């Protein structure tokens, strides 16, 4: 608002009046109308957003990935040529094992968009930051002492 930009916000379970109800795979937006999409994907049951059948937070992993294809097809439809899509997602630990949501999301996105860059969002007071000090180390294997404490912001562009 401060920059005079128009913004449309959608969620499967909106919590504010300025956010409209919509599934990210079926947006009420015309073709090639949006310059930038920012989407924060649900984390497979870590937070239950709704009881909606199409809510990705309720889906098992295999259906989550299938739905992700539908979401990216829809976002490609609404993006203008040259527009950007930014996806914020983190990995999940399930039964002591890392579920590489970031890596898999990247692999799905590159089917629809051109990779541009990424950024790492560190969670404040995360266990890894507390245990390792201010230097956050990239670990090749997850263990019980270092849990995922960051999200990845993937930046892609529509050709």
């Amino acid at each position: 608002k401060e920059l005079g930009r128009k913004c449309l916000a959608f969620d499967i379970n909106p919590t504010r009046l300025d956010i409209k109800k919509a599934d990210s795979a079926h947006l009420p937006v015309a073709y090639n109308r949006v310059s930038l999409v920012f989407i924060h994907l649900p984390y497979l049951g870590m937070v239950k957003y709704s009881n909606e059948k199409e809510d990705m937070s309720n889906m098992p992993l295999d259906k989550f990935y299938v739905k992700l294809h539908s979401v990216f097809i829809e976002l490609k439809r609404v993006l203008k040529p040259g527009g950007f899509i930014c996806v914020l997602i983190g990995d999940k630990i399930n039964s002591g094992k890392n579920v590489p949501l970031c890596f898999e999301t990247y692999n799905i996105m590159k089917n629809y968009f051109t990779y541009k860059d990424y950024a790492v969002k560190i969670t404040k007071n995360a266990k890894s930051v507390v245990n390792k000090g201010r230097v956050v180390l990239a670990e090749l294997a997850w263990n019980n002492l270092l849990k995922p404490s960051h999200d990845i912001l993937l930046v892609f562009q529509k050709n």
Side-chain angles (χ1 to χ4, degrees):
K1 287 181 180 180
E2 290 176 8
L3 296 173
R5 304 210 177 179
K6 296 177 185 174
C7 177
L8 302 172
F10 301 100
D11 198 290
I12 199 156
N13 188 24
T15 57
R16 299 187 333 225
L17 295 176
D18 60 334
I19 301 173
K20 306 293 182 218
K21 183 175 177 65
D23 182 316
S24 54
H26 307 285
L27 295 172
V29 177
Y31 283 81
N32 299 324
R33 297 293 297 195
V34 178
S35 300
L36 172 70
V37 169
F38 184 93
I39 186 169
H40 186 196
L41 295 169
Y43 291 54
L44 295 172
M46 288 175 70
V47 174
K48 185 172 182 174
Y49 290 97
S50 74
N51 291 319
E52 301 277 340
K53 182 181 120 189
E54 292 300 313
D55 182 345
M56 294 171 74
S57 70
N58 297 327
M59 295 180 178
L61 188 59
D62 59 336
K63 290 187 179 179
F64 177 87
Y65 289 142
V66 169
K67 174 76 178 223
L68 208 47
H69 281 276
S70 299
V71 168
F72 291 139
I73 289 168
E74 178 66 353
L75 295 177
K76 186 173 183 178
R77 180 189 72 78
V78 302
L79 266 176
K80 293 177 181 178
F84 288 88
I85 176 171
C86 300
V87 177
L88 186 65
I89 189 155
D91 291 332
K92 180 181 177 183
I93 298 293
N94 191 13
S95 301
K97 295 190 178 196
N98 183 42
V99 179
L101 295 175
C102 299
F103 182 74
E104 293 301 330
T105 300
Y106 166 85
N107 281 332
I108 293 170
M109 287 184 76
K110 68 183 186 178
N111 291 302
Y112 304 101
F113 306 100
T114 301
Y115 171 76
K116 289 306 203 181
D117 209 346
Y118 76 96
V120 178
K121 176 188 154 254
I122 303 296
T123 305
K124 186 178 179 181
N125 297 323
K127 190 172 185 176
S128 60
V129 176
V130 172
N131 288 346
K132 304 285 185 179
R134 291 193 174 256
V135 177
V136 178
L137 303 176
E139 299 280 338
L140 294 176
W142 295 94
N143 59 48
N144 290 332
L145 301 174
L146 182 63
K147 301 290 185 197
S149 58
H150 64 278
D151 291 332
I152 301 293
L153 180 69
L154 298 169
V155 181
F156 281 73
Q157 186 174 27
K158 178 179 175 180
N159 291 333

